[in-house]
Amino acid sequence: MVVRETYSPAETFELGKHLGEQAKPGWIFTLVGDLGVGKTVFTQGLACGLGIDEPVNSPTFTILQEYHTGRLPFYHFDVYRIADIEEMEEIGYDDCFFGGGVCLVEWADLIEELIPENAFHVTIEKDMEKGFDYRKITIEGMDEL
Ligand code: ADP
Ligand code: MG
């Protein structure tokens, strides 16, 4: 498990970027954290590290947003609005999870049974006692950055 503390959006972005630069085909991240904690900032950093030059935002109204302008394909899932696991089949999620790209899944606990064993689990948390811009970022499944 890797734990990093950040004190600004830029630092969270940099952490995501570093991971994007390291990412290998087949890497899957799950991403958990309250609204406004920095999930999109982290994801934008990851996309930047993959060399993606398009704007990256929360998918929200689409379950899957794909980016193909980077070093590897990037698949950004937000499964919050998924009603049934079969919707994932319809989207063709397995081509994303097992197709040589990099995936990031928000609200992954809703489709837990589909998440591969080797996924990295990223959690972002606030701690108001440590300041408004403090974030603790935990990456389970990773031993070092
Ligand atoms: P989410 O996608 O989790 O809802 P966003 O990434 O859209 O959250 O927004 C995070 C907000 O928190 C932004 O306004 C960002 O500027 C702010 N922020 C403050 N400190 C940090 C930090 N250390 N890391 C990430 N974002 C931070
Ligand atoms: Mg977001």
Side-chain angles (χ1 to χ4, degrees):
M1 187 165 96
V2 171
V3 180
R4 283 288 181 283
E5 296 176 298
T6 71
Y7 296 87
S8 67
E11 277 185 66
T12 298
F13 184 94
E14 274 307 311
L15 177 63
K17 185 178 170 194
H18 177 75
L19 289 165
E21 287 165 351
Q22 307 301 312
K24 294 182 177 54
W27 276 24
I28 298 177
F29 296 92
T30 67
L31 179 57
V32 170
D34 294 339
L35 191 70
V37 81
K39 298 185 296 298
T40 296
V41 171
F42 175 87
T43 304
Q44 287 169 340
L46 189 77
C48 176
L50 285 165
I52 291 160
D53 53 18
E54 307 157 70
V56 172
N57 290 301
S58 300
T60 316
F61 296 106
T62 48
I63 289 167
L64 170 62
Q65 200 77 58
E66 300 185 29
Y67 302 92
H68 293 280
T69 58
R71 177 172 66 81
L72 297 168
F74 177 48
Y75 303 101
H76 185 190
F77 291 83
D78 183 333
V79 302
Y80 182 69
R81 279 180 182 75
I82 210 147
D84 193 294
I85 211 115
E86 273 177 22
E87 278 182 58
M88 289 295 284
E89 308 278 354
E90 285 159 23
I91 290 165
Y93 82 94
D94 44 349
D95 291 339
C96 308
F97 280 17
F98 310 109
V102 173
C103 295
L104 182 143
V105 188
E106 300 193 40
W107 290 93
D109 43 325
L110 295 176
I111 56 155
E112 206 175 4
E113 57 265 58
L114 300 184
I115 303 294
E117 280 285 308
N118 62 352
F120 302 116
H121 300 286
V122 180
T123 305
I124 311 179
E125 295 164 288
K126 291 185 185 183
D127 182 347
M128 281 306 168
E129 285 180 13
K130 297 193 175 177
F132 191 68
D133 291 344
Y134 170 88
R135 302 291 189 272
K136 181 181 171 190
I137 303 174
T138 306
I139 311 172
E140 285 172 68
M142 199 168 270
D143 297 326
E144 57 185 20
L145 285 180

